Amino acid sequence: MQRALYGTSLRAFFGLSLNVALSETSAAVNWPDGYVVYTNTAFPDGRYGVLVPTMEAWEQDESLSEANYLADIKNRRVLGKIDKVDYFEDQNHRGLEVFWAPQSSVCVVENDGRYGADSISILEINDSSFAQTEIGDRIQKSLDGAMKKQAHAPEIAGDVSPYFRFGTDRKVRVRALSQNNPKQFEDVKTYYALFQGTFDVAAKKWIVTDARSISAEQDDALTTAYSDLEHTTFQNEEDKAESLDQTMNKVYRAAQFILPPARFAAVKREQIEWLKKRNAASSTDEKCKLMGARIKVLQELVW
């Protein structure tokens, strides 16, 4: 599952009330045997990371998958167990991702199931322990509510794919997409929804939330707009140029959907002028560089 990793890792709004479950501050425990720092969960400076059991340890004791820990790696201290995270190394059809704020004291932990996020929590570290705030339930409820309204089906629920961005003001911007038919069964009507919110870590509450139903085309465009596109490889410059052009068109459509009409009108004018510059480029390589830079500009607009 693709994720956009912002910070140092990886809309018109209305207010909604929210009950956020805040765990008790976790107490430090001993470094557990059979555990490793899971890939890409460590803060870039290597200070903190998430410990998960190895597959070999889990095969000897399956209950270990129910205990994942946040650790101070440099000082070899376990800060505490992370609630609602149950993963062992190289587990099939599951995933674990950690998104760090620019400062290493805050992160989002996403525990993934087969098709989407099972739980999403914010961890706040205070040297020897941490506090955990669960935010995934509110995102799930909002997205399901938007789909239920569209489908007129009270039992409908979707699989959530979230994306995160951190500000310097201890606020986390969340964008999440959801759909009810990840296997794309032909006899099941597919519904899509978008969640946009901002969570204030210091106040431990949502300050902006919005959820709405969207179309399949809008879901495709927004998935591209929110995703990390930095590491895509191509066989040649012509293939790269064609792919970048298609990507730019999707991100442009995402911006058209998200932005107010007056703001998008200005973006449209900018795009027309930019296209003249791109078309006048003397080489495919130059065109690719221009498109890569333009895609980043357009991606910023959907946040």
Side-chain angles (χ1 to χ4, degrees):
M1 179 167 49
Q2 291 289 328
R3 291 286 183 273
L5 307 187
Y6 295 95
T8 55
S9 163
L10 181 345
R11 298 164 188 191
F13 302 110
F14 56 90
L16 295 176
S17 62
L18 172 69
N19 292 322
V20 178
L22 176 63
S23 71
E24 294 182 0
T25 301
S26 303
V29 298
N30 294 329
W31 195 273
D33 293 331
Y35 277 71
V36 294
V37 179
Y38 186 58
T39 306
N40 297 328
T41 67
F43 187 72
D45 68 2
R47 173 74 187 272
Y48 299 110
V50 175
L51 299 181
V52 303
T54 64
M55 182 179 291
E56 291 77 12
W58 174 83
E59 288 173 344
Q60 296 178 26
D61 182 358
E62 294 186 5
S63 69
L64 291 181
S65 67
E66 300 175 3
N68 292 175
Y69 301 96
L70 183 67
D72 179 341
I73 302 167
K74 287 188 174 181
N75 295 306
R76 200 170 173 78
R77 292 185 304 165
V78 176
L79 304 185
K81 179 179 177 292
I82 307 172
D83 292 335
K84 295 189 176 183
V85 177
D86 54 351
Y87 183 78
F88 62 84
E89 189 178 30
D90 300 323
Q91 186 174 1
N92 290 331
H93 310 303
R94 299 294 302 274
L96 177 64
E97 296 189 73
V98 177
F99 307 88
W100 289 96
Q103 69 280 7
S104 63
S105 61
V106 178
C107 67
V108 175
V109 176
E110 177 189 337
N111 193 37
D112 290 329
R114 187 178 182 90
Y115 296 110
D118 281 349
S119 69
I120 306 170
S121 295
I122 294 176
L123 307 186
E124 299 173 78
I125 306 169
N126 53 13
D127 188 38
S128 61
S129 62
F130 70 91
Q132 178 173 352
T133 306
E134 200 286 330
I135 64 171
D137 288 347
R138 187 67 186 91
I139 297 168
Q140 181 79 60
K141 183 177 179 181
S142 296
L143 288 164
D144 289 350
M147 281 196 289
K148 289 175 182 178
K149 186 176 181 180
Q150 182 187 27
H152 302 290
E155 74 284 354
I156 198 169
D159 295 285
V160 177
S161 296
Y163 306 85
F164 312 97
R165 274 204 176 181
F166 293 91
T168 57
D169 53 359
R170 295 180 64 79
K171 293 182 176 63
V172 183
R173 283 179 286 170
V174 182
R175 304 292 182 262
L177 298 167
S178 180
Q179 63 141 307
N180 67 306
N181 185 21
K183 291 187 177 180
Q184 295 297 296
F185 292 122
E186 293 184 359
D187 59 342
V188 176
K189 183 173 176 57
T190 306
Y191 296 93
Y192 301 88
L194 164 68
F195 173 88
Q196 303 170 106
T198 300
F199 189 83
D200 187 324
V201 177
K204 297 179 177 58
K205 67 178 183 180
W206 291 100
I207 57 174
V208 174
T209 59
D210 172 56
R212 68 181 81 173
S213 60
I214 58 176
S215 68
E217 182 181 7
Q218 289 165 341
D219 177 82
D220 182 48
L222 287 165
T223 297
T224 300
Y226 293 141
S227 295
D228 179 8
L229 308 172
E230 289 289 333
H231 306 296
T232 307
T233 59
F234 306 93
Q235 290 186 341
N236 53 58
E237 287 298 304
E238 288 69 25
D239 287 349
K240 182 177 181 179
E242 182 179 356
S243 177
L244 287 172
D245 186 60
Q246 292 173 358
T247 297
M248 183 177 62
N249 288 334
K250 287 185 179 182
V251 180
Y252 180 78
R253 289 197 297 271
Q256 183 178 16
F257 171 60
I258 293 297
L259 296 176
R263 177 70 182 94
F264 180 74
V267 173
K268 183 176 180 179
R269 291 192 295 270
E270 294 169 4
Q271 188 75 359
I272 291 171
E273 292 303 312
W274 177 87
L275 285 169
K276 294 177 183 178
K277 181 179 179 180
R278 184 201 64 176
N279 294 341
S282 59
S283 68
T284 302
D285 179 63
E286 184 181 353
K287 288 182 180 180
C288 288
K289 290 179 180 178
L290 288 169
M291 285 189 286
R294 184 60 181 169
I295 287 169
K296 290 181 179 179
V297 171
L298 293 172
Q299 282 183 305
E300 289 295 318
L301 298 176
V302 302
W303 283 90

